[in-house]
Amino acid sequence: MKIGVFVCHCGSNIAGTVDVAKVAEAAKAMPDVAFASDTMYACSEPGQEGIIKAIQEKGLDGAVVASCTPRMHGPTFMRTVARAGLNPYMFEMANIREHVSWIGRNKEANTRKAIDLVKMAVAKLGQNRPLYPKTFAVNKRVLVIGGGVAGIQAALDCAEGGLDVVLVEKTSSIGGKMAKLDKTFPTVDCSSCILGPKMVDVAQHPRITLHASSEVEDVFGYVGNFQVEVRKKAPYVDWKACTGCGACMEKCPAKKSPDPFNELVGRTTAINIPFPQAIPKKASIDPTACIRFKTGKCGVCAKICPTKAIRYDQQDEMVTEEVGAIVAATGYDLMDWTVYGQYGAGRYPDVVTSLQYERMLSASGPTGGHIKRPSDGREPKNVVFIQCVGSRDPSVGRPYCTGFCCMYTAKQAVLTKDHIPDSQSYVFYMDIRAPGKMYDEFTRRAVEEYGTQYVRGRVSMVYPMGDKLVVRGADTLAGTQVEVLADLVVLAVGAEGAKGSPHLAEKLRISYDSYGFFMEGHPKLKPVETNTAGVYLAGCSQGPKDIPTSVAQGSAAAAKVLGLFSKDQLQSDPQVAKVDLKRCVGCMKCALTCPFGAIKELETRGEMKVEVIETVCQGCGICTSTCRQGAIQLQNFTDNQILAEVNALLLTAEEEGA
Amino acid sequence: MEKELRIVGFLCNWCSYGGADTAGVGRFIQPTDLRIIRMPCSGRLDPLFVLKTLTGGADGVLVSGCHPRDCHYAEGNYYARRRLEVLKRFLPVIGIDPGRFEYTWVSASEGQRWQHVVTEFTAQVHALGPIQRIGKQAQARACSFATSGLFARVED
């Protein structure tokens, strides 16, 4: 075999701490290597042309590129090799950037390590065989998980693009966090007025199936052919019969039930429609609050309902949806702010979260848009906002900036002045971060037009004095301690991944970080893709975002799905397992361990053997390490290939006389 | 500088290899002894690879995959965990210090954790020093001992 080795400088990224010329020189002495050179940027156009030229002129059978991680440019160079006329699998990469030049400062040691990695890649390539993809059909339906503004946008764009969409929402109405907001920054326009029409579009779109009060229970299959089990939680109301008239809500005697939509600021009835613009506008019963469920006595709603829609004995229903792609748009939750004991969180009723305050500001909220202190219902005069509660604070495990808190605090300060003209707002902040369009101008207006007092410094504690709260903190610009007598304290609480998102990530087989956010395929170049084919991300499930960015990402995810579905047939990855029938004894252990059910029985000449369904196999290789006969081998990661890498490395050690 | 030892890392493509990439992108400085072999899943790892690597002269072997429950292939790392736990207990039987072998879980976002794992494991292997080389015959014996049904039972 004639192998070519191409060592990349990556500008100074690699060449700065690895002697690339020496690596190329060493490669020339390796077995099967017919050509080796170093190149400034292997991935650039001249770099790729150089590789193609060398393959064609020297008649090479395969190429090793020593550069960055194969997770970044593996596919790039496979295309290059294919353009040169070789099979794209006659290619290997040695990762001498992420795993060498960027993590070690000793040039000598780095160069030695790079040579070893090239030697291992050459040894593996020596065992490579050409592989050819198979094609399979695509189910052109898409599942969107989460009905917030990002999910709504993704669903509408997909539906407008001609796809059938299944939208699964956990709560009884779509709308997400945006539906809870009173106004949006920096335009101070009404949130539900701009979201409402979109929600109605979802309800009326003939291509969108909406499952509210539903959760994804399990996901099987692979890109193009997912089966998703959806649990439709029982609302104890027949939604086909319910007209959303609200008569049940008026008569329900359990009037002091917790109201999650209003962030527990107000109270609601045990049977309720969460808010006036809810989609679907259907009532559901909270069994933990309903008198009928708790004591067996009551049944007022069943008597009052004009369409006889109440079903106390309703059970959860399981639905199986078959889709070809999935968009996860599960959003965020506020972090658990009660860890801030010094702010009296959870103890003093007049310390509220940003979302609770948002509900107080809302005309459709529990106070009808009048700001009232939760303790005595009086109108506050001094309102203190504390920023960075659960963002940029490593002491509570939230080192990142949530990004939108500066803006919503400025908005809430502006709205406070609008609601109560003789009020005074104070904002304790660390830095003002307002990088969006018209954002910085907006925060200036909060100060200059609305007279909001910004105090730079952290609050050390909040404690009650009489019927007021004392907020004590530092003013780091003046270099003094300050105390503000407040009627109401609003905590700008940071965001973390929605509760339960790690569970969903496990079902979707995508990665998530320690804050519950899903990981994108690449932080810059694949912002809405995941490393699992056919699964895309939108909105705050990927990281905290404001509304414009969430909407943009929803559209981007939809574009990716439409791109995926622009083909009728997809090509399967040919790195699948292959059975050597001569060695197979038909013990079926591989079939038992295969997580995808990709191995089935095969009868040949009266003997039981197995065969691999190539389009179902995902190429994990669990079967290969299970087979005692060595009969089933994962192509491109065969036992021989992996051991060739090991041997190449250990041989080097022997040569050195170690 | 202390002399480099031969440490081989078998890493799953989706979590730990990505975690090592993340550590690189973050410029988290690490010892240079470790050479990484990429595989699709920790479940792809035949315990024999570890034995062949150690008996073949490597001073240490590190295996790393996705955290349990977080496997790209749903359950590959559970198979890996069962096999590798058996392997770890088996190593003293053929005279290899079990401290030369570790398995860990590192996700693609955990660059800092990867730096920590590599630094600790490298120090651990350096504390044990270079491995005693054994002859080809002894190597073959150790590997055939291992194939005599010990790991085959793990899946039952």
Side-chain angles (χ1 to χ4, degrees), chain A residues 605-625:
Chain A
R605 297 179 189 173
E607 279 184 280
M608 287 319 286
K609 307 272 179 181
V610 296
E611 74 173 331
V612 177
I613 311 165
E614 284 185 30
T615 51
V616 179
C617 177
Q618 297 294 292
C620 62
I622 296 171
C623 54
T624 308
S625 43

Side-chain angles (χ1 to χ4, degrees), chain A residues 310-352:
Chain A
I310 311 297
R311 302 277 182 277
Y312 295 119
D313 57 352
Q314 201 175 37
Q315 300 291 320
D316 289 4
E317 192 190 331
M318 296 300 293
V319 191
T320 305
E321 294 286 0
E322 298 198 336
V323 296
I326 298 173
V327 177
T330 48
Y332 72 95
D333 273 321
L334 296 185
M335 74 92 69
D336 178 19
W337 51 292
T338 54
V339 298
Y340 285 92
Q342 68 270 36
Y343 297 162
R347 277 181 294 147
Y348 310 138
D350 293 336
V351 178
V352 298

Side-chain angles (χ1 to χ4, degrees), chain B residues 2-154:
Chain B
E2 205 178 350
K3 190 174 168 10
E4 247 178 38
L5 294 181
R6 292 286 156 190
I7 305 177
V8 179
F10 293 99
L11 268 58
C12 94
N13 178 48
W14 302 101
C15 292
S16 295
Y17 196 91
D21 285 348
T22 307
V25 173
R27 312 294 202 275
F28 297 141
I29 299 301
Q30 299 154 37
T32 47
D33 311 39
L34 178 82
R35 272 85 170 124
I36 293 170
I37 294 178
R38 183 171 72 108
M39 26 184 65
C41 177
S42 53
R44 166 68 189 92
L45 186 88
D46 191 325
L48 267 179
F49 295 167
V50 178
L51 279 182
K52 287 198 168 159
T53 310
L54 285 170
T55 57
D59 304 301
V61 172
L62 178 65
V63 177
S64 191
C66 306
H67 288 279
R69 298 186 56 148
D70 194 16
C71 176
H72 186 77
Y73 302 105
E75 51 200 37
N77 51 4
Y78 289 127
Y79 289 109
R81 188 168 64 180
R82 276 187 261 173
R83 291 164 183 162
L84 296 174
E85 192 52 44
V86 173
L87 174 73
K88 191 147 176 80
R89 284 151 203 246
F90 172 74
L91 287 178
V93 177
I94 55 165
I96 294 175
D97 193 312
R100 296 191 183 277
F101 164 69
E102 291 293 345
Y103 63 92
T104 61
W105 318 117
V106 174
S107 86
S109 62
E110 292 176 328
Q112 223 144 13
R113 180 175 149 78
W114 175 249
Q115 178 192 34
H116 184 76
V117 164
V118 173
T119 312
E120 278 222 328
F121 184 67
T122 307
Q124 184 177 317
V125 174
H126 274 270
L128 293 170
I131 199 165
Q132 196 76 40
R133 293 297 165 98
I134 59 172
K136 285 265 185 288
Q137 264 187 326
Q139 252 185 65
R141 231 183 359 257
C143 288
S144 72
F145 188 18
T147 44
S148 62
L150 184 80
F151 296 110
R153 278 200 297 274
V154 179

Side-chain angles (χ1 to χ4, degrees), chain A residues 13 69-71 95 98-99 102-106 109-110 112-113 116-117 120 503 506 509-514 519 531-532 589 592-596 618-622 624-626 628 633-634 637-639 642-643 645-646 649-650 652-654 656 658, chain B residues 1 3-4 6-8 10 13-15 17-18 20-21 23-25 27-32 34-41 43-46 48-49 52-53 56-58 69-76 79 83 107-109 133 136 151-152 155-156:
Chain A
N13 279 305
T69 168
R71 284 162 53 99
N95 185 351
E98 279 83 347
H99 293 180
W102 277 349
I103 58 162
R105 294 211 179 96
N106 182 327
N110 279 356
R112 262 204 312 277
K113 185 172 175 181
D116 277 357
L117 293 185
M120 289 156 77
H503 274 13
E506 286 154 13
R509 289 183 230 111
I510 59 177
S511 311
Y512 56 96
D513 64 20
S514 49
M519 270 191 75
N531 279 325
T532 299
K589 276 211 173 102
L592 288 173
T593 51
C594 177
F596 306 98
Q618 297 294 292
C620 62
I622 296 171
T624 308
S625 43
T626 301
R628 286 302 114 210
Q633 287 287 332
L634 177 64
F637 288 99
T638 62
D639 288 350
I642 292 168
L643 290 174
E645 288 187 76
V646 173
L649 179 64
L650 298 179
T652 318
E654 270 176 27
E656 285 171 5
Chain B
M1 202 188 82
K3 190 174 168 10
E4 247 178 38
R6 292 286 156 190
I7 305 177
V8 179
F10 293 99
N13 178 48
W14 302 101
C15 292
Y17 196 91
D21 285 348
V25 173
R27 312 294 202 275
F28 297 141
I29 299 301
Q30 299 154 37
T32 47
L34 178 82
R35 272 85 170 124
I36 293 170
I37 294 178
R38 183 171 72 108
M39 26 184 65
C41 177
R44 166 68 189 92
L45 186 88
D46 191 325
L48 267 179
F49 295 167
K52 287 198 168 159
T53 310
R69 298 186 56 148
D70 194 16
C71 176
H72 186 77
Y73 302 105
E75 51 200 37
Y79 289 109
R83 291 164 183 162
S107 86
S109 62
R133 293 297 165 98
K136 285 265 185 288
F151 296 110
E155 276 78 46
D156 291 344

